[in-house]
Amino acid sequence: MRQEKFTCSTRTIHKTCADSGATFGKLLLEIRLSLAARRLSLGGERISEIACSCGFASLPHFSRQFKARFGVAPSV
């Protein structure tokens, strides 16, 4: 995964998330799931490829998180 530099500290990012009622982890999960959902809707990629490239450690973990967020299992 590509790492880019931010113009603020990690603490500032966490504080900004907390001030808006979220955690950095929850925000990151939402971004990853949204990206995965978009890529699934486009088709042409295997679910396992999408899960891995969106930062999920395993397909079962991705499937559980996806179903918890969207109410359906991921499919192409």
Side-chain angles (χ1 to χ4, degrees):
M1 183 180 286
R2 187 176 69 198
Q3 183 177 357
E4 295 182 22
K5 292 185 179 184
F6 290 99
T7 58
C8 58
S9 69
T10 303
R11 173 71 185 126
T12 301
I13 294 170
H14 286 276
K15 184 173 179 349
T16 302
C17 289
D19 289 347
S20 66
T23 65
F24 180 74
K26 287 181 182 179
L27 178 62
L28 182 59
L29 177 62
E30 181 62 29
I31 291 168
R32 287 176 172 168
L33 288 171
S34 296
L35 177 60
R38 184 176 190 298
R39 290 173 61 185
L40 286 168
S41 72
L42 296 174
E45 291 181 88
R46 293 185 326 196
I47 296 172
S48 59
E49 292 172 348
I50 293 171
C52 182
S53 66
C54 287
F56 291 90
S58 70
L59 184 56
H61 177 67
F62 168 68
S63 295
R64 281 190 306 275
Q65 293 294 322
F66 192 93
K67 187 169 184 174
R69 170 62 179 87
F70 297 109
V72 294
S75 64
V76 227

